[in-house]
Amino acid sequence: MSHQHHIPTKASLFAVFGALMVLTVLTVLVSRVNLGYLNLPVALAVAVTKALLVILLFMEVKYSPKLVQVTAAAGFLFFGIMILYTMTDYLSRNMIGVAGR
Amino acid sequence: MHDVRTLEHDSSAPTTPDVHYLNATHGALSWFFTKDHKRIALLYLYSVSAFFLVGGIFAMLIRLELATPQGDLLSAETYNKVFTAHGVVMVFFFLIPSIPAILGNFLVPLMIGAKDLAFPRINLASWYLYMAGGLFGIAALVSGGVDTGWTFYTPYSTAASNTHVVLTAVGAFIAGFSSIFTGLNFIVTIHTMRAPGMTWDRLPLFIWSHYATSLIMMLGTPVVAVTLMMLVLERTLKFGFFNPDLGGDPVLFQHLFWFYSHPAVYIMVLPGMGVISEIIAAFSRKPVFGYKMVAMASLGIALIGFLVWGHHMFTTSQSTLAAVTFSFLSFLVAIPSAIKVFNWTATLYRGSVLLASPMLYALGFIGLFTIGGLTGLFLAAIGLDIHMHDTYFVVAHFHYVMVGGTLLAYLGGIHYWWPKITGKLYSEPWAKTAAVIVFVGFNLTFFPQFVLGYMGMPRRYHAYPTEELSWQVLNILSSAGASILGMGFILPVIYLTWSAFRGRPAGPNPWGAFGLEWETTSPPPTANFEVTPIVTKPAYYYAPEEH
Amino acid sequence: MANGSHAHAAHHPMLQHHFDTLEQQQNASLLGMWMFLVTEVLFFGGLFMAYILYRWLYNASFHEASHELNVWLGLFNTAVLIGSSLTMALAVRASKTGEKSQLVLFLILTLVLGGIFLGVKVVEYAEKFTHHLVPGEHFAFHDAALKDGAQIYFSLYFAMTGLHATHMILGGLVLLPIIVMAQRGWFSPEWYTPIELFGLYWHFVDIVWIFLFPLLYLM
Amino acid sequence: RWMWKAQHLTGHREINQLHVPVGTPVKLLISSEDVIHSYYIPAFRQKMDAVPGKTTTMWFEASKPGTYQLFCAEYCGTQHSGMIGKVVAMEPREYQQWLSGGAPAGTLTSTGEQQFSTLGCATCHQADGKGRGPSLVGIAGKAQQLANGTSVIADEAYIRESILNPTAKMVQGYAPLMPTYQGQISEEGLASLIAYIKSLGTSTPGSGPAGTTAPDAAAATAPTH
Ligand code: HEA
Ligand code: HEA
Ligand code: CUA
Ligand SMILES: [Cu+2]
């Protein structure tokens, strides 16, 4: 963690805000179009992009020490593990669904 | 003074400093508002011991009931509440905080040469959270108890049980946050507060194992917290999450619960492993064999530990693919554990082994943890687990790792650092006697349970079939062992308390051990060190350059 | 009163006794906050896990149930929250440059935007109550065949947005004293740790919403 | 709650018991009506959870005739440790005999008691009268009020008729729920049942399976070939 702090310009912060708003409107518009199974991935891709913008630029992870970057990634990594293994179980069960209803 | 000490004992008579952390300030308030990690450690020592006593009393009730096959002593309802209380108290209020919150709190700053933990106020808040959680737990007990088992399985806990599930869940939830903040404090402290020269490859293994433990506390505990929150919402407001009548899936609860609770078993054992590394090195007068491997094994256990939780769910009609994956990964977690066991053994080899009381506990740990761990592997094998799941085999497995493992390590650690904590020496003969009693009593209590489980006796049974004669014999053995074990636990309480008042002064380093904590006075001053120490030697610098 | 005039870090009044330097103290705080956010990710993670499973099991119900939400209110709130993230980032910037009046202004704006968000949330919740969309005994759904899934959907909706709103309320409560401190000039380019840490927390809460919005409103 | 109901492919039902032929793979479909239980037969090294809302399966092949313990292994509340029973593995020939209702041993009443539970009578006829059917305790030899206003003495003939043609004489206050057992019970079986019902009037109440509580977890067994 270095002593000299990164000071972003106001313009850059407003630019991030603008990008976030554009993406928000975009995701609403896309959701009105039926893309079949693609709707969810698109919505998620937009959300992940937005989250990355906030994390990297608003939260300044881009300019932070490695340790902070690793920490920020760790939470999502372990969340991913939880989903991956739980859904492995469910998706590969032959009795899909809550039976009997 | 911060130069590295060699093994020659100071022959001058040991003394206690005039001012130290215990007498620096006076009055109850100076304790309840203390920010000194060492005093907070003592607050934990008292409260955690009290919970151990409570949990132990419940254990004795269980063993009394099971001495006869009929459910004669306790009613079925009471029995169910008793084993639930035993499990909840022992896991959430005893074992998880035991080593980290007492020994870890006391030693992490001392071992890395810091004045305190990074966030002393959060540290104190953790203790208050722990007590608040404990009060909820106790409130649940005195208002009638809970009967869900410590695992809170749905839909029993949300739809069928009419006991105090919510109070208990809230208690565990709050205690969880205590554990999260303790872990957070340790990680930040280890990253930012090391003394000059205390590089990562010089950290004592106790610190490495607490680092790994803290990672699990932070990554796992929030999940069980939110799961308990969902449970409470379902039980009180009829929100649908797990109850099939509300459209939910009860198995999801198990996934979420074990996502935390399997890693949590490593929260319980890793700190113990750290204690063992310290003791083994000190009483073999040798550096721990393969220091780096042992340090990395801690991280390995923490990481792989997150990938195996499904082995608690083999019989829930888990898919074969998932079962095989979880089973395989569970075998994998044995490798770092094996590294540790083998490296400790290698450290003993040709060491000048001194069988002092902490060492007796450490050797007990190695043997009993190995048995517990290997039987864990039996359970990780799908075919065997189908038979032994929810039988006494599982009960025996986890008592071997938790009691034979962690509890022995805890006792070993308390004995090892007692002179540092109190500045006093206890009676070695009594301590050795207690260690032997615990070892014998423990095996007599829990070994028969392996046999019982293999014969098919299910766990959480308040009565068992009378026609199985051998079952009663084994259960009586187990109950007899439990009373011996209980004696073994009461003894240290007596002679340690006695020593705190009447013991001889210990001096800074009664064991002639190596490590920053032994370089300051016993008890240490409030700021731990007169001058910030500068570290120039690796950990366990015993008998340098020799064999 | 302490202010930014203390040039030598070691004597800074905010330096706690157990740290050697102010920089060490700041590093510790920053890391501590990030560690806390990691736990938050997993705290919300449990609910997201449940969401994923049930969305897969009850796709049709979720689809139908999501139409009960008002996309426009959701969109509005998303904009409000992103706006408050912007003002928060500007506040952190102002604390680094030492522009006190700007700092106070942006902090207040952040609080106001957060308040607006919660106000809209109250309106939305009230609507669910009147439409019997709160899970429990009074839950009613127009399509009986999809009722189970819809009830799960609304259980998740309330748990997730409720937990999120709780975080906003707690954030607001913490922000109040920070505003007072800023007003009194406690912060300086040497020491603005509370602003920085609070900013991280606030952005995190924003990120949660960035996921909640498409998952709950747009299906 | 806290009991195992089993139904065979042939329609035979039993409670807290399971009869299976040896040397034949048997498959169970398991479910639960309330909380999670687990069907555990230690001797067969087999166990499977009964999860409400799901149907799970398990199979085994008994190799030696005998009576084996059946446990509930998943904690399910107060009577968890009482949720136990027996698995009876029989030679295929005896199993066929058992299916046809002719139990080889036992007094008439005890066989009847067994029949009463294996045929599922106990699910509707509970001693306390809270089941879907009337309590049968003490009816034998007494006058029964019928739905058509008349009354009739519950003698052997009436009991026999009630079993084989339940709707013929309807008891007042009950719906015509009872299935006919025509063709499903052998003559011997019928006799033992009647004997058992008659004995209910004289022996101490609660000694028979009619005292068990409402059904809970069901296991359907299907001998596959
Ligand atoms: C401190 C706590 C602790 C620890 C450390 C462990 C460690 C392990 N546990 Fe255990 N376990 C529990 C506490 C613990 N467990 C509890 C509380 C339960 C029950 C919960 C409940 O239902 O209430 C449980 C239940 C449990 C189950 C579920 C049983 C069931 O309900 O059906 C399984 C199944 O796989 C399992 C496996 C393992 C494995 C593979 C390890 C491994 O980590 C062990 C690794 C260690 C070794 C292998 C020994 C050392 C190695 C050597 C000496 C080298 C030689 C050996 C080899 C190379 C193979 N455990
Ligand atoms: C840390 C964890 C821990 C510890 C230490 C113990 C300790 C003991 N346990 Fe425990 N046990 C569990 C964790 C633990 N257990 C869990 C998680 C379960 C599962 C619960 C469930 O199914 O939900 C369980 C279940 C369990 C069962 C199975 C119940 C059932 O399934 O029906 C049994 C049966 O014998 C048992 C026995 C014992 C015994 C005899 C001890 C003995 O070691 C206890 C000996 C202790 C004493 C006798 C007290 C003496 C102590 C003192 C005197 C200290 C005094 C201190 C002061 C005064 C300051 N335990
Ligand atoms: Cu049914 Cu335990
Ligand atoms: Cu496990």
CSV table of all heavy atoms in Angstrom, one decimal, chain B residues 115 117-121 187-188 191-193 218-219 222-223 225-226 239-241 247-249, chain C residues 16 18-20 24 28 31-32 35 38-39 42-43 46-47 54 58 135-136 151-152 155-156 158:
chain,number,residue,atom,x,y,z
B,115,LYS,N,2.5,-4.5,19.3
B,115,LYS,CA,2.0,-4.0,20.6
B,115,LYS,C,0.6,-4.5,20.9
B,115,LYS,O,0.2,-4.6,22.0
B,115,LYS,CB,2.0,-2.5,20.6
B,115,LYS,CG,3.4,-1.9,20.6
B,115,LYS,CD,3.4,-0.4,21.1
B,115,LYS,CE,4.6,0.3,20.7
B,115,LYS,NZ,4.6,0.9,19.4
B,117,LEU,N,-3.3,-6.1,18.6
B,117,LEU,CA,-3.9,-6.4,17.4
B,117,LEU,C,-4.2,-5.1,16.6
B,117,LEU,O,-4.2,-4.1,17.2
B,117,LEU,CB,-5.2,-7.2,17.6
B,117,LEU,CG,-5.1,-8.7,18.0
B,117,LEU,CD1,-6.4,-9.3,18.3
B,117,LEU,CD2,-4.3,-9.5,16.9
B,118,ALA,N,-4.5,-5.2,15.3
B,118,ALA,CA,-4.7,-4.0,14.6
B,118,ALA,C,-5.9,-3.2,15.1
B,118,ALA,O,-5.8,-2.0,15.1
B,118,ALA,CB,-4.8,-4.3,13.1
B,119,PHE,N,-6.9,-3.9,15.4
B,119,PHE,CA,-8.1,-3.2,15.8
B,119,PHE,C,-8.6,-3.6,17.2
B,119,PHE,O,-9.4,-4.4,17.4
B,119,PHE,CB,-9.3,-3.5,14.9
B,119,PHE,CG,-8.9,-3.3,13.4
B,119,PHE,CD1,-8.9,-4.3,12.5
B,119,PHE,CD2,-8.6,-2.0,13.0
B,119,PHE,CE1,-8.5,-4.1,11.2
B,119,PHE,CE2,-8.2,-1.8,11.6
B,119,PHE,CZ,-8.2,-2.9,10.8
B,120,PRO,N,-8.0,-3.0,18.3
B,120,PRO,CA,-8.3,-3.4,19.6
B,120,PRO,C,-9.7,-3.3,20.0
B,120,PRO,O,-10.3,-4.1,20.7
B,120,PRO,CB,-7.4,-2.5,20.5
B,120,PRO,CG,-6.4,-2.0,19.6
B,120,PRO,CD,-7.0,-1.9,18.2
B,121,ARG,N,-10.3,-2.2,19.5
B,121,ARG,CA,-11.8,-2.0,19.9
B,121,ARG,C,-12.6,-3.1,19.3
B,121,ARG,O,-13.6,-3.6,19.9
B,121,ARG,CB,-12.2,-0.6,19.5
B,121,ARG,CG,-12.1,0.4,20.6
B,121,ARG,CD,-12.4,1.8,20.1
B,121,ARG,NE,-11.4,2.2,19.1
B,121,ARG,CZ,-11.4,3.4,18.6
B,121,ARG,NH1,-12.3,4.3,19.0
B,121,ARG,NH2,-10.5,3.8,17.7
B,187,ILE,N,-6.0,-11.4,10.4
B,187,ILE,CA,-5.4,-11.2,9.1
B,187,ILE,C,-4.7,-9.9,8.9
B,187,ILE,O,-3.6,-9.8,8.5
B,187,ILE,CB,-6.5,-11.4,8.0
B,187,ILE,CG1,-6.9,-12.9,8.0
B,187,ILE,CG2,-5.9,-11.1,6.6
B,187,ILE,CD1,-7.7,-13.3,6.8
B,188,VAL,N,-5.5,-8.8,9.3
B,188,VAL,CA,-4.9,-7.5,9.1
B,188,VAL,C,-3.7,-7.3,10.0
B,188,VAL,O,-2.6,-6.8,9.5
B,188,VAL,CB,-6.0,-6.4,9.4
B,188,VAL,CG1,-5.3,-5.1,9.4
B,188,VAL,CG2,-7.1,-6.5,8.5
B,191,HIS,N,-0.7,-9.1,8.5
B,191,HIS,CA,-0.2,-8.4,7.3
B,191,HIS,C,0.5,-7.1,7.6
B,191,HIS,O,1.5,-6.8,6.9
B,191,HIS,CB,-1.4,-8.1,6.3
B,191,HIS,CG,-1.6,-9.2,5.3
B,191,HIS,ND1,-0.7,-9.4,4.3
B,191,HIS,CD2,-2.6,-10.1,5.2
B,191,HIS,CE1,-1.2,-10.4,3.5
B,191,HIS,NE2,-2.3,-10.8,4.1
B,192,THR,N,0.0,-6.4,8.6
B,192,THR,CA,0.5,-5.0,8.7
B,192,THR,C,1.3,-4.7,10.0
B,192,THR,O,1.9,-3.7,10.1
B,192,THR,CB,-0.6,-4.0,8.6
B,192,THR,OG1,-1.5,-4.2,9.7
B,192,THR,CG2,-1.4,-4.1,7.3
B,193,MET,N,1.3,-5.6,10.9
B,193,MET,CA,1.9,-5.2,12.2
B,193,MET,C,3.2,-6.0,12.6
B,193,MET,O,3.6,-6.0,13.7
B,193,MET,CB,0.9,-5.5,13.3
B,193,MET,CG,-0.5,-4.9,13.0
B,193,MET,SD,-0.7,-3.2,13.5
B,193,MET,CE,-0.5,-3.3,15.3
B,218,MET,N,-13.5,-15.8,7.7
B,218,MET,CA,-14.1,-14.7,6.9
B,218,MET,C,-14.8,-15.2,5.7
B,218,MET,O,-15.8,-14.6,5.2
B,218,MET,CB,-13.0,-13.8,6.5
B,218,MET,CG,-12.3,-13.2,7.7
B,218,MET,SD,-11.3,-11.9,7.3
B,218,MET,CE,-12.0,-11.5,5.8
B,219,LEU,N,-14.4,-16.3,5.1
B,219,LEU,CA,-15.0,-16.7,3.8
B,219,LEU,C,-16.2,-17.6,4.1
B,219,LEU,O,-17.1,-17.7,3.2
B,219,LEU,CB,-14.0,-17.4,2.9
B,219,LEU,CG,-12.9,-16.5,2.4
B,219,LEU,CD1,-11.7,-17.3,1.8
B,219,LEU,CD2,-13.5,-15.6,1.3
B,222,PRO,N,-19.9,-16.0,7.0
B,222,PRO,CA,-21.0,-15.2,6.5
B,222,PRO,C,-22.1,-16.1,5.9
B,222,PRO,O,-23.3,-15.7,5.9
B,222,PRO,CB,-20.4,-14.3,5.5
B,222,PRO,CG,-19.0,-14.3,5.6
B,222,PRO,CD,-18.6,-15.5,6.4
B,223,VAL,N,-21.7,-17.2,5.3
B,223,VAL,CA,-22.7,-18.0,4.6
B,223,VAL,C,-23.6,-18.7,5.6
B,223,VAL,O,-24.8,-18.7,5.4
B,223,VAL,CB,-22.0,-19.1,3.7
B,223,VAL,CG1,-23.0,-20.0,3.0
B,223,VAL,CG2,-21.2,-18.3,2.6
B,225,ALA,N,-24.2,-17.5,8.4
B,225,ALA,CA,-25.0,-16.4,9.0
B,225,ALA,C,-26.2,-16.2,8.2
B,225,ALA,O,-27.4,-16.1,8.7
B,225,ALA,CB,-24.2,-15.2,9.2
B,226,VAL,N,-26.1,-16.1,6.9
B,226,VAL,CA,-27.2,-15.7,6.1
B,226,VAL,C,-28.2,-16.9,6.0
B,226,VAL,O,-29.4,-16.8,5.9
B,226,VAL,CB,-26.8,-15.3,4.7
B,226,VAL,CG1,-26.4,-16.4,3.8
B,226,VAL,CG2,-27.9,-14.5,4.0
B,239,PHE,N,-41.6,-17.3,5.1
B,239,PHE,CA,-41.0,-17.1,3.9
B,239,PHE,C,-40.6,-18.5,3.3
B,239,PHE,O,-40.1,-19.3,4.1
B,239,PHE,CB,-39.7,-16.2,4.0
B,239,PHE,CG,-39.9,-14.8,4.0
B,239,PHE,CD1,-41.1,-14.2,4.5
B,239,PHE,CD2,-39.0,-13.9,3.4
B,239,PHE,CE1,-41.3,-12.8,4.5
B,239,PHE,CE2,-39.2,-12.5,3.4
B,239,PHE,CZ,-40.3,-12.0,3.9
B,240,GLY,N,-40.7,-18.7,2.0
B,240,GLY,CA,-40.3,-20.0,1.5
B,240,GLY,C,-38.9,-20.1,1.1
B,240,GLY,O,-38.5,-19.3,0.2
B,241,PHE,N,-38.1,-20.9,1.7
B,241,PHE,CA,-36.7,-21.1,1.3
B,241,PHE,C,-36.4,-22.6,1.2
B,241,PHE,O,-35.9,-23.1,0.2
B,241,PHE,CB,-35.7,-20.4,2.2
B,241,PHE,CG,-35.7,-19.0,2.1
B,241,PHE,CD1,-36.0,-18.2,3.3
B,241,PHE,CD2,-35.5,-18.3,1.0
B,241,PHE,CE1,-36.1,-16.9,3.3
B,241,PHE,CE2,-35.5,-16.9,0.9
B,241,PHE,CZ,-35.8,-16.2,2.1
B,247,GLY,N,-42.7,-24.7,-1.2
B,247,GLY,CA,-42.1,-24.7,-2.5
B,247,GLY,C,-40.6,-24.9,-2.4
B,247,GLY,O,-39.9,-24.9,-3.5
B,248,GLY,N,-40.0,-24.9,-1.2
B,248,GLY,CA,-38.6,-24.9,-1.1
B,248,GLY,C,-37.9,-26.3,-1.2
B,248,GLY,O,-38.6,-27.3,-1.3
B,249,ASP,N,-36.6,-26.3,-1.1
B,249,ASP,CA,-35.9,-27.5,-1.2
B,249,ASP,C,-35.1,-27.7,0.1
B,249,ASP,O,-34.1,-26.9,0.3
B,249,ASP,CB,-35.0,-27.5,-2.4
B,249,ASP,CG,-34.2,-28.8,-2.6
B,249,ASP,OD1,-34.2,-29.6,-1.6
B,249,ASP,OD2,-33.6,-29.0,-3.7
C,16,GLN,N,-3.1,5.9,16.6
C,16,GLN,CA,-3.3,5.1,17.8
C,16,GLN,C,-2.0,4.5,18.3
C,16,GLN,O,-1.1,4.3,17.5
C,16,GLN,CB,-4.3,4.0,17.5
C,16,GLN,CG,-5.7,4.5,17.2
C,16,GLN,CD,-6.6,3.4,16.8
C,16,GLN,OE1,-6.5,3.0,15.6
C,16,GLN,NE2,-7.5,2.9,17.6
C,18,HIS,N,-0.8,1.8,19.3
C,18,HIS,CA,-0.1,0.5,18.9
C,18,HIS,C,0.4,0.5,17.5
C,18,HIS,O,0.9,-0.5,17.1
C,18,HIS,CB,-1.1,-0.7,19.2
C,18,HIS,CG,-2.4,-0.6,18.4
C,18,HIS,ND1,-3.3,0.3,18.6
C,18,HIS,CD2,-2.8,-1.3,17.4
C,18,HIS,CE1,-4.3,0.2,17.8
C,18,HIS,NE2,-4.0,-0.9,17.0
C,19,PHE,N,0.2,1.6,16.7
C,19,PHE,CA,0.8,1.6,15.4
C,19,PHE,C,2.0,2.5,15.5
C,19,PHE,O,2.1,3.4,16.3
C,19,PHE,CB,-0.2,2.2,14.4
C,19,PHE,CG,-1.4,1.3,14.1
C,19,PHE,CD1,-2.6,1.6,14.5
C,19,PHE,CD2,-1.2,0.2,13.3
C,19,PHE,CE1,-3.7,0.8,14.2
C,19,PHE,CE2,-2.2,-0.6,13.0
C,19,PHE,CZ,-3.5,-0.3,13.4
C,20,ASP,N,3.0,2.2,14.6
C,20,ASP,CA,4.2,3.0,14.6
C,20,ASP,C,4.0,4.2,13.7
C,20,ASP,O,4.5,5.3,14.1
C,20,ASP,CB,5.3,2.2,14.0
C,20,ASP,CG,5.8,1.0,14.9
C,20,ASP,OD1,5.6,1.2,16.1
C,20,ASP,OD2,6.2,0.0,14.5
C,24,GLN,N,1.0,3.0,8.4
C,24,GLN,CA,0.7,1.6,8.9
C,24,GLN,C,-0.7,1.5,9.3
C,24,GLN,O,-1.5,0.6,9.0
C,24,GLN,CB,1.7,1.3,10.0
C,24,GLN,CG,1.6,-0.2,10.4
C,24,GLN,CD,2.3,-0.4,11.8
C,24,GLN,OE1,2.4,0.4,12.6
C,24,GLN,NE2,2.7,-1.7,11.9
C,28,ALA,N,-3.7,-0.7,7.5
C,28,ALA,CA,-4.5,-1.7,8.3
C,28,ALA,C,-6.0,-1.5,8.2
C,28,ALA,O,-6.7,-2.4,7.9
C,28,ALA,CB,-4.1,-1.6,9.8
C,31,LEU,N,-7.2,-2.4,4.6
C,31,LEU,CA,-7.2,-3.9,4.4
C,31,LEU,C,-8.4,-4.5,5.2
C,31,LEU,O,-9.1,-5.3,4.8
C,31,LEU,CB,-5.9,-4.5,4.9
C,31,LEU,CG,-5.8,-6.0,4.6
C,31,LEU,CD1,-5.9,-6.3,3.1
C,31,LEU,CD2,-4.4,-6.5,5.1
C,32,GLY,N,-8.6,-3.9,6.4
C,32,GLY,CA,-9.7,-4.4,7.3
C,32,GLY,C,-11.0,-4.2,6.6
C,32,GLY,O,-11.8,-5.1,6.6
C,35,MET,N,-11.4,-6.7,3.8
C,35,MET,CA,-11.7,-8.0,4.4
C,35,MET,C,-13.2,-8.1,4.8
C,35,MET,O,-13.9,-9.1,4.5
C,35,MET,CB,-10.9,-8.3,5.6
C,35,MET,CG,-9.4,-8.5,5.3
C,35,MET,SD,-9.2,-10.1,4.5
C,35,MET,CE,-7.6,-9.8,3.8
C,38,VAL,N,-15.3,-8.6,1.8
C,38,VAL,CA,-15.3,-10.0,1.3
C,38,VAL,C,-16.4,-10.8,2.1
C,38,VAL,O,-17.1,-11.6,1.5
C,38,VAL,CB,-13.9,-10.6,1.6
C,38,VAL,CG1,-14.0,-12.1,1.4
C,38,VAL,CG2,-12.9,-10.0,0.6
C,39,THR,N,-16.4,-10.6,3.4
C,39,THR,CA,-17.5,-11.3,4.2
C,39,THR,C,-18.8,-10.9,3.7
C,39,THR,O,-19.8,-11.8,3.6
C,39,THR,CB,-17.3,-11.1,5.7
C,39,THR,OG1,-17.7,-9.8,6.0
C,39,THR,CG2,-16.0,-11.4,6.2
C,42,LEU,N,-19.9,-12.8,0.6
C,42,LEU,CA,-20.4,-14.2,0.9
C,42,LEU,C,-21.7,-14.2,1.7
C,42,LEU,O,-22.5,-15.1,1.6
C,42,LEU,CB,-19.3,-15.0,1.6
C,42,LEU,CG,-18.3,-15.4,0.5
C,42,LEU,CD1,-16.9,-15.3,1.1
C,42,LEU,CD2,-18.6,-16.7,-0.1
C,43,PHE,N,-21.9,-13.1,2.4
C,43,PHE,CA,-23.2,-13.0,3.2
C,43,PHE,C,-24.4,-12.9,2.2
C,43,PHE,O,-25.3,-13.6,2.3
C,43,PHE,CB,-23.1,-11.7,4.1
C,43,PHE,CG,-24.2,-11.7,5.1
C,43,PHE,CD1,-24.3,-12.6,6.1
C,43,PHE,CD2,-25.0,-10.6,5.2
C,43,PHE,CE1,-25.3,-12.6,7.1
C,43,PHE,CE2,-26.0,-10.5,6.1
C,43,PHE,CZ,-26.1,-11.5,7.1
C,46,GLY,N,-25.1,-16.2,-0.1
C,46,GLY,CA,-26.0,-17.3,0.3
C,46,GLY,C,-27.3,-17.1,-0.4
C,46,GLY,O,-28.0,-18.0,-0.9
C,47,LEU,N,-27.8,-15.9,-0.3
C,47,LEU,CA,-29.1,-15.5,-0.9
C,47,LEU,C,-29.1,-15.7,-2.4
C,47,LEU,O,-30.0,-16.2,-3.1
C,47,LEU,CB,-29.5,-14.1,-0.5
C,47,LEU,CG,-30.1,-14.0,0.9
C,47,LEU,CD1,-30.2,-12.6,1.3
C,47,LEU,CD2,-31.4,-14.7,1.0
C,54,TYR,N,-33.5,-21.6,-7.3
C,54,TYR,CA,-34.9,-21.6,-7.5
C,54,TYR,C,-35.3,-20.9,-8.9
C,54,TYR,O,-36.3,-21.3,-9.4
C,54,TYR,CB,-35.6,-20.8,-6.4
C,54,TYR,CG,-35.5,-21.7,-5.1
C,54,TYR,CD1,-35.0,-21.1,-3.9
C,54,TYR,CD2,-35.9,-23.0,-5.1
C,54,TYR,CE1,-34.8,-21.9,-2.8
C,54,TYR,CE2,-35.7,-23.8,-4.0
C,54,TYR,CZ,-35.2,-23.2,-2.8
C,54,TYR,OH,-35.1,-24.0,-1.7
C,58,TYR,N,-37.9,-23.0,-10.9
C,58,TYR,CA,-39.2,-22.3,-11.1
C,58,TYR,C,-39.1,-21.2,-12.1
C,58,TYR,O,-39.6,-20.1,-11.9
C,58,TYR,CB,-39.7,-21.7,-9.8
C,58,TYR,CG,-40.0,-22.7,-8.7
C,58,TYR,CD1,-39.2,-22.8,-7.6
C,58,TYR,CD2,-41.0,-23.6,-8.8
C,58,TYR,CE1,-39.4,-23.7,-6.5
C,58,TYR,CE2,-41.3,-24.5,-7.8
C,58,TYR,CZ,-40.5,-24.6,-6.7
C,58,TYR,OH,-40.8,-25.5,-5.7
C,135,PRO,N,-44.9,-13.1,1.2
C,135,PRO,CA,-45.0,-14.5,1.5
C,135,PRO,C,-45.6,-14.7,2.9
C,135,PRO,O,-45.5,-13.8,3.8
C,135,PRO,CB,-43.6,-15.0,1.5
C,135,PRO,CG,-42.8,-13.9,0.8
C,135,PRO,CD,-43.5,-12.7,0.9
C,136,GLY,N,-46.2,-15.8,3.1
C,136,GLY,CA,-46.9,-16.1,4.4
C,136,GLY,C,-48.3,-16.5,4.1
C,136,GLY,O,-48.7,-16.8,3.0
C,151,GLN,N,-44.1,-17.6,-4.6
C,151,GLN,CA,-43.9,-17.3,-3.2
C,151,GLN,C,-42.4,-17.4,-2.9
C,151,GLN,O,-41.9,-16.5,-2.2
C,151,GLN,CB,-44.7,-18.3,-2.4
C,151,GLN,CG,-44.6,-18.0,-0.9
C,151,GLN,CD,-45.6,-18.7,-0.1
C,151,GLN,OE1,-46.5,-19.4,-0.6
C,151,GLN,NE2,-45.6,-18.5,1.2
C,152,ILE,N,-41.7,-18.3,-3.5
C,152,ILE,CA,-40.3,-18.4,-3.3
C,152,ILE,C,-39.7,-17.1,-3.9
C,152,ILE,O,-38.8,-16.5,-3.2
C,152,ILE,CB,-39.7,-19.6,-4.0
C,152,ILE,CG1,-40.2,-20.9,-3.4
C,152,ILE,CG2,-38.2,-19.5,-4.0
C,152,ILE,CD1,-39.3,-21.6,-2.5
C,155,SER,N,-40.2,-14.4,-1.5
C,155,SER,CA,-39.4,-14.6,-0.3
C,155,SER,C,-38.0,-14.0,-0.6
C,155,SER,O,-37.4,-13.3,0.2
C,155,SER,CB,-39.3,-16.0,0.1
C,155,SER,OG,-40.6,-16.6,0.4
C,156,LEU,N,-37.5,-14.4,-1.7
C,156,LEU,CA,-36.1,-14.0,-2.1
C,156,LEU,C,-36.1,-12.5,-2.3
C,156,LEU,O,-35.2,-11.8,-1.9
C,156,LEU,CB,-35.6,-14.7,-3.3
C,156,LEU,CG,-35.2,-16.1,-3.1
C,156,LEU,CD1,-35.1,-16.9,-4.4
C,156,LEU,CD2,-33.9,-16.2,-2.3
C,158,PHE,N,-37.9,-10.2,-0.9
C,158,PHE,CA,-37.9,-9.4,0.3
C,158,PHE,C,-36.7,-9.6,1.1
C,158,PHE,O,-36.1,-8.7,1.7
C,158,PHE,CB,-39.2,-9.8,1.2
C,158,PHE,CG,-40.4,-9.0,0.8
C,158,PHE,CD1,-41.4,-9.6,0.0
C,158,PHE,CD2,-40.5,-7.7,1.1
C,158,PHE,CE1,-42.5,-9.0,-0.4
C,158,PHE,CE2,-41.7,-7.0,0.7
C,158,PHE,CZ,-42.6,-7.6,-0.1
